[in-house]
Amino acid sequence: MSVWDEVVGQPEAVAMLSASAEAAAMIVAGGTPAPGVMTHAWLFTGPPGSGRSSTARAFAGALQCVVADDRPGCGECSGCRTTLHGTHADVRVVAPEGLSISVAEMRSLVQISARRPTSGRWQVVIIEDADRLTEGAANALLKAVEEPPARTVFLLCAPSDHPDDVSVTIRSRCRLVSLGSPRPAAIASALEAVDGVSPEMAQWAAAVCGGHVGRARRLASDEQTRSRREAVLRIPLALRKPADVFTCADELIKAAEDDASTANESRNESEREALETAMGAGGTGKGTAAASRGAKGALKDLEKRQKSRATRTQRDSLDMALVDLAAFYRDALVVRTGSEAALMHPDRAQDSRTAAAQWSSESILRRLEAVLACREAIEVNVKPRIAIEAMVTTLHRG
């Protein structure tokens, strides 16, 4: 099994990155590859679910592969396995738990990236959400990208290379890897081969995930995820009277809060226990009183980070629900106009036909625009409940 098996439906990107990993192996061996094949900074772009982070991790695994210099990325050696499992000493992953990546976090990372590899072949830094860098963090990263150490590679992931996502100065120093939404057939094949999902479930999840590989995996493996999707897609035809506006808004908010709680509960508890142990909880020797006082401040900082993480998880969950809603209205418009485009929710085709028969094209468009406007409002920090209630009101009125 190769590290590239983690990359779904991106053959052009895999071919390019494989060639670069071979050039990187040549550099480590003391050779001189063709100019431009391997570089120190990469920018992976693509729509949500296209596999930006998975592709970056697979490339990092190929760079650390210790077995095959001619075709690195075997997937079996210690370099490949520890990279893919997130335990390699020379591969650091920045995945913001809050709404942004701070300058302090980036400065610390830049200092570490300047060191030579300790056990691997390269020092690799993966920034999963480079579009969440604050201005100060981006400036700190820019200095490292401008003058990189000889054996350090930066792998940045962002929705696009637009200046709103990644600054022009950073982008200009990176090699671009553009990913597209994988085809349903490629997603279904990966679910069967890599995740062991049954063919029927794999085909259904691939058909309704909207090209989002991670979403397909959750739909195929988690009954609660499937139930929440069903609840969201019932909303358009359930808005019959004004009181339904608040009921549906409450359901959307509660589902997002439950998602955040479920995703973070066990992690929060383990982090708290680890911190308390590190600060001497339960100790009886000298210094335990001072350690206990210091622990209060550390616990307060931890709670702040956990709250920020919960906020982000809630917003990500809400955004996925809004994407499903937008796709429903898009399907209704497809049916209404007689287009031959494939439906995003083929299993809800009857509901799409019902909506298309009840509403005009203009009314469907207004509803679709309300969903998109709600996504934008939440993105700029409008309180989710306010944004959701305004959207659902428009969905009811049409």
Side-chain angles (χ1 to χ4, degrees):
M1 179 177 177
S2 166
V3 296
W4 305 114
D5 292 340
E6 297 291 323
V7 183
V8 179
Q10 311 292 345
E12 296 86 359
V14 168
M16 178 175 66
L17 294 170
S18 294
S20 297
E22 291 174 17
M26 188 183 299
I27 293 173
V28 172
T32 305
V37 180
M38 179 61 191
T39 187
H40 69 282
W42 299 76
L43 176 59
F44 296 80
T45 67
S50 56
R52 300 186 301 260
S53 299
S54 298
T55 306
R57 286 176 185 266
F59 184 40
L63 291 176
Q64 303 291 17
C65 183
V66 298
V67 173
D69 285 342
D70 55 338
R71 293 185 64 82
C74 67
E76 301 296 332
C77 70
S78 60
C80 290
R81 287 187 290 102
T82 54
T83 299
L84 294 181
H85 287 93
T87 58
H88 197 292
D90 293 320
V91 179
R92 286 168 175 80
V93 180
V94 179
E97 296 181 341
L99 301 178
S100 62
I101 301 174
S102 69
V103 62
E105 185 176 7
M106 189 51 56
R107 283 174 179 165
S108 174
L109 188 69
V110 166
Q111 288 179 351
I112 295 172
S113 69
R115 305 171 186 168
R116 289 186 60 81
T118 56
S119 61
R121 298 151 72 90
W122 296 85
Q123 188 78 254
V124 182
V125 176
I126 302 174
I127 303 177
E128 290 194 349
D129 294 294
D131 54 310
R132 295 178 184 265
L133 289 165
T134 63
E135 184 177 355
N139 290 335
L141 175 63
L142 176 61
K143 294 178 182 179
V145 173
E146 284 179 328
E147 300 177 4
R151 296 277 288 278
T152 297
V153 180
F154 293 93
L155 309 179
L156 283 64
C157 307
S160 77
D161 61 350
H162 190 277
D164 286 349
D165 288 333
V166 180
S167 70
V168 175
T169 49
I170 291 180
R171 181 189 62 185
S172 64
R173 289 161 175 81
C174 297
R175 185 171 178 183
L176 184 64
V177 181
S178 297
L179 306 177
S181 294
R183 301 281 185 182
I187 297 175
S189 178
L191 291 177
E192 291 182 50
V194 179
D195 299 85
V197 177
S198 68
E200 295 78 11
M201 178 61 75
Q203 290 172 12
W204 173 81
V208 304
C209 70
H212 194 299
V213 179
R215 184 84 193 287
R217 287 193 162 109
R218 291 193 294 274
L219 285 168
S221 62
D222 183 24
E223 177 63 34
Q224 287 188 336
T225 300
R226 295 193 289 270
S227 297
R228 281 192 286 268
R229 173 181 175 271
E230 288 296 314
V232 168
L233 293 178
R234 284 196 296 267
I235 288 175
L237 298 181
L239 292 167
R240 299 185 180 87
K241 55 185 183 296
D244 294 334
V245 169
F246 300 102
T247 301
C248 291
D250 285 341
E251 289 177 355
L252 277 173
I253 296 294
K254 186 177 186 304
E257 290 174 347
D258 290 344
D259 265 355
S261 177
T262 301
N264 297 318
E265 185 176 5
S266 60
R267 183 177 177 183
N268 289 349
E269 185 62 29
S270 63
E271 286 177 344
R272 185 181 181 90
E273 290 178 357
L275 179 60
E276 289 176 343
T277 301
M279 298 300 291
T284 58
K286 283 187 176 181
T288 53
S292 178
R293 288 192 295 271
K296 291 180 181 179
L299 284 171
K300 188 174 182 180
D301 290 340
L302 176 62
E303 289 170 357
K304 184 177 180 180
R305 292 197 303 272
Q306 291 176 344
K307 183 178 180 181
S308 180
R309 184 167 64 209
T311 298
R312 184 189 171 193
T313 304
Q314 180 183 350
R315 292 189 180 188
D316 287 348
S317 176
L318 270 177
D319 190 67
M320 187 57 68
L322 295 176
V323 168
D324 280 340
L325 273 179
F328 176 88
Y329 291 111
R330 176 261 186 201
D331 286 354
L333 194 61
V334 165
V335 175
R336 177 76 184 182
T337 58
S339 171
E340 295 182 358
L343 299 182
M344 301 293 289
H345 297 300
D347 57 335
R348 312 290 295 193
Q350 183 56 51
D351 287 349
S352 297
R353 288 191 286 269
T354 300
Q358 292 179 356
W359 307 326
S360 66
S361 297
E362 293 78 6
S363 179
I364 297 173
L365 273 174
R366 283 194 295 271
R367 290 175 164 92
L368 177 56
E369 289 170 352
V371 178
L372 299 179
C374 183
R375 291 188 70 196
E376 293 178 1
I378 292 175
E379 184 67 26
V380 297
N381 289 331
V382 173
K383 286 187 177 298
R385 180 168 292 278
I386 294 174
I388 292 294
E389 288 182 353
M391 176 197 73
V392 179
T393 299
T394 301
L395 298 185
H396 169 64
R397 294 175 178 174

